[in-house]
Amino acid sequence: DGGITQSPKYLFRKEGQNVTLSCEQNLNHDAMYWYRQDPGQGLRLIYYSQIVNDFQKGDIAEGYSVSREKKESFPLTVTSAQKNPTAFYLCASKEGFSGNTIYFGEGSWLTVV
Amino acid sequence: GESVGLHLPTLSVQEGDNSIINCAYSNSASDYFIWYKQESGKGPQFIIDIRSNMDKRQGQRVTVLLNKTVKHLSLQIAATQPGDSAVYFCAARGPYSGAGSYQLTFGKGTKLSVIP
């Protein structure tokens, strides 16, 4: 089945640790995105990538890092510099410049303990 | 910048009735709009989209209306069913942000509850 796979679904992080969230897509989409979702707020863009080996900061990139070494993969690292990392993280992808619609994965819950 | 809002944070409807969820956007240059449905603990699912050169678009049991004059769009769900219970987001595209990229701005969501 074609789609976007995020893992793990649930992740607990201790203070001061870095954690990496995985995102894989088999839709052959060029563009990939990471959003953060907090209760009562709209989705906020962390990072996006239009093409392999290139990515751009979104609105709330501080404390996060990404890589795009393969077209199908766009992992997100939540670093210890992110002071309030507890949230629901959504990976998404889009066909590319000509594509309009962003499609989402099922999300990953990150909790700091 | 763009802001996208929803008129009501929660909406309760009787099963079988029609639902209307509203959304306002701020940037008159927005040229493309999407409605998403998000069930609890899951990622948003695409429902329907509309371009700014259209006023209305229909899908299966859903209709999106766009009023560019007042920068408002709505999602109408016909014969609402219990499976429609979810949070509904609107998103507006634009303006062009360079590097071949348009960005979406998302509303906060309206929680639709269907009463059996």
Side-chain angles (χ1 to χ4, degrees), chain A residues 9 37 48 97 100-102 105, chain B residues 32 36 38 41 51 93 100:
Chain A
K9 180 68 177 179
Q37 187 173 38
Y48 65 99
F97 184 76
N100 292 318
T101 306
I102 288 179
Chain B
Y32 175 69
Y36 289 93
Q38 186 176 24
R51 294 183 181 276
R93 186 183 82 164

Side-chain angles (χ1 to χ4, degrees), chain A residues 40-84:
Chain A
Q41 296 196 38
L43 301 179
R44 293 185 290 169
L45 182 63
I46 304 173
Y47 267 98
Y48 65 99
S49 170
Q50 298 289 327
I51 197 169
V52 175
N53 291 323
D54 185 56
F55 48 83
Q56 306 294 330
K57 292 182 178 180
D59 299 321
I60 55 165
E62 185 175 351
Y64 299 98
S65 66
V66 293
S67 62
R68 188 83 187 278
E69 298 176 1
K70 298 185 296 182
K71 185 176 184 178
E72 58 270 23
S73 179
F74 192 41
L76 173 74
T77 296
V78 184
T79 75
S80 56
Q82 171 49 241
K83 297 307 177 189
N84 185 25

